Amino acid sequence: LYENVGQRTPRVRFGDVHVYNNYYVEPDAAGYVYSWGVGVEAEIVAENNFFQLADGIDPADVVADWRPADRLGDAGLEESGTMLNGRSRHHRVSLVAAYNAEHDPDLPTTVSWEPTLHGQIHPTQAVPALVTAKAGAGVIG
């Protein structure tokens, strides 16, 4: 659970990171900067993450590109199964596509590796309930 964190969940530089089964709750647009930061030689695979964003947070703002102009080809963010809670119901989104629609240059949507060491990847719609019931101090075990 990343609640009211505002940024760097994660901010990756020089690494391969698997981001899955996370529940992001951002209730305040004024304190929000971004969630997924892609830097030099960063390759993120994001699977089945659920975002609860306050009014005023553009889905394109969830991704931040920290690559310098001379290092654009050595990073990427491959995303699948992301859900965003709208006012009336949950719906699937591509936050990388939203970012790329508003920014140039585009952030690559593929990576050169495949995650192999991880726990169960749950259906995205189940993530909020699972995370709030099973994560946190004194709960993990």
Side-chain angles (χ1 to χ4, degrees):
L1 174 62
Y2 293 104
E3 186 171 11
N4 214 12
V5 176
Q7 62 182 317
R8 299 182 182 139
T9 55
R11 171 24 171 121
V12 181
R13 186 172 186 209
F14 299 112
D16 299 337
V17 175
H18 190 198
V19 180
Y20 66 98
N21 292 350
N22 292 294
Y23 182 30
Y24 295 85
V25 179
E26 295 297 338
D28 180 19
Y32 185 71
V33 183
Y34 70 92
S35 293
W36 298 336
V38 181
V40 173
E41 294 183 33
E43 291 194 328
I44 299 172
V45 174
E47 296 182 274
N48 297 19
N49 294 286
F50 192 102
F51 283 82
Q52 177 72 43
L53 300 178
D55 287 341
I57 299 177
D58 185 335
D61 293 338
V62 171
V63 176
D65 186 355
W66 298 103
R67 301 171 301 156
D70 63 337
R71 301 291 295 271
L72 295 178
D74 65 1
L77 199 166
E78 187 173 297
E79 171 197 18
S80 63
T82 304
M83 293 186 89
L84 177 66
N85 192 28
R87 290 188 186 140
S88 59
R89 62 185 191 107
H90 306 218
H91 59 279
R92 292 199 182 279
V93 296
S94 172
L95 300 172
V96 180
Y99 174 86
N100 284 342
E102 293 190 18
H103 298 88
D104 284 319
D106 281 359
L107 184 63
T109 59
T110 60
V111 297
S112 64
W113 69 286
E114 182 177 333
T116 56
L117 301 174
H118 56 79
Q120 181 179 355
I121 298 175
H122 296 285
T124 311
Q125 61 271 22
V127 167
L130 288 169
V131 168
T132 53
K134 297 185 177 187
V139 179
I140 298 175

